[in-house]
Amino acid sequence: MSTPAEVLATLQRTDSAAPRITCHDDLPGPTAGERVELSARVPGNWVSKAANALQEEWDIEPGSVVHLAMRPHWRLAYWAWAIWSVGAVLDLDGEGSPDPVVTDDPARLPRDGPAVLVTRAALARSAGVPLPDGVMDEAADLSTHGDLFAPRAEPQGDDIALRVAGQETSYEDLGATSTPTAKGARVQLVDPSVEALLRTALTVWSAQGSLVVHPGPTDEQTLARRADAEGVTA
């Protein structure tokens, strides 16, 4: 399978305007009920900005470890792809001393060390809370980074791409355990784990498909209605 960066580049090159991820936010909070649909062009732009931030602010490169402490969401997807675009280890376990921590929960910010606070709302322009020194306010600051990204180094096939539940997956093997998806499928995910969302996104996007994600438990009637409206095929 191609690397995540290559998969996204193919989507942008072949049909950048087609929907690739639709997110119905069902989690409690100010974004509850928000629906966001994005083509490959938009996440690709945010991936470039986030990857540039990782590379320019913290010198993240192959072998570096970035802890991603976010709930399933469309913003999670572009931060994951940014981490993979610089060739780093995407860590979901939170052990050791990653640089930096990327989270959407102020309570999960480290007491010291670099971090990014991500605000889930689509039109947010700041986190709206005071942040400690060394913490990037993603909503306010990420847009200042460039829209084009060039990695300083490419990951090797045996470099670690994903660490979760004490298990490590190399770039070469990433996505190999995911269920194959029909080309162009529109796949619905209900209350997925972070790992399930990322692995499914990689598999579905590799097949030129798209995702409809429901982060949080949703009743069957609502799911059926949305699936019909969204043209879900799997």
Side-chain angles (χ1 to χ4, degrees):
M1 178 177 282
S2 302
T3 67
E6 291 168 342
V7 168
L8 182 58
T10 298
L11 288 179
Q12 292 177 293
R13 188 168 57 249
T14 55
D15 190 350
S16 65
R20 296 304 176 186
I21 184 168
T22 305
C23 185
H24 290 268
D25 198 334
D26 296 311
L27 293 171
T31 60
E34 186 175 79
R35 176 190 182 274
V36 174
E37 181 168 273
L38 304 173
S39 66
R41 183 184 300 118
V42 178
N45 187 58
W46 285 112
V47 167
S48 292
K49 289 180 178 295
N52 277 317
L54 292 170
Q55 195 166 255
E56 294 165 2
E57 300 289 338
W58 301 289
D59 293 322
I60 303 301
E61 60 185 2
S64 300
V65 178
V66 180
H67 177 45
L68 191 57
M70 292 178 63
R71 294 161 291 179
H73 194 255
W74 61 272
R75 292 195 186 277
L76 166 82
Y78 71 71
W79 272 105
W81 253 256
I83 294 166
W84 286 330
S85 293
V86 298
V89 179
L90 193 168
D91 171 66
L92 298 179
D93 290 345
E95 299 178 359
S97 301
D99 291 316
V101 173
V102 180
T103 183
D104 58 358
D105 183 356
R108 301 182 74 174
L109 290 170
R111 293 187 177 181
D112 52 25
V116 179
L117 181 61
V118 178
T119 305
R120 291 164 66 88
L123 300 179
R125 292 295 176 262
S126 74
V129 296
L131 298 178
D133 291 341
V135 177
M136 173 187 283
D137 182 345
E138 189 228 41
D141 299 332
L142 191 62
S143 62
T144 64
H145 291 273
D147 295 338
L148 299 176
F149 174 71
R152 295 172 185 166
E154 299 283 353
Q156 301 300 306
D158 58 355
D159 285 344
I160 301 304
L162 180 65
R163 181 182 297 149
V164 56
Q167 301 297 311
E168 295 182 336
T169 303
S170 69
Y171 275 87
E172 186 175 27
D173 293 335
L174 187 63
T177 59
S178 298
T179 303
T181 301
K183 185 174 182 179
R186 187 133 164 94
V187 177
Q188 180 165 268
L189 285 174
V190 181
D191 199 16
S193 68
V194 169
E195 181 184 12
L197 172 57
L198 297 180
R199 287 188 180 275
T200 305
L202 181 58
T203 302
V204 170
W205 290 347
S206 295
Q208 303 289 301
S210 61
L211 293 173
V212 178
V213 184
H214 308 269
T218 310
D219 66 85
E220 293 297 326
Q221 184 176 3
T222 299
L223 287 174
R225 174 175 51 79
R226 288 179 183 170
D228 183 63
E230 298 287 3
V232 167
T233 61

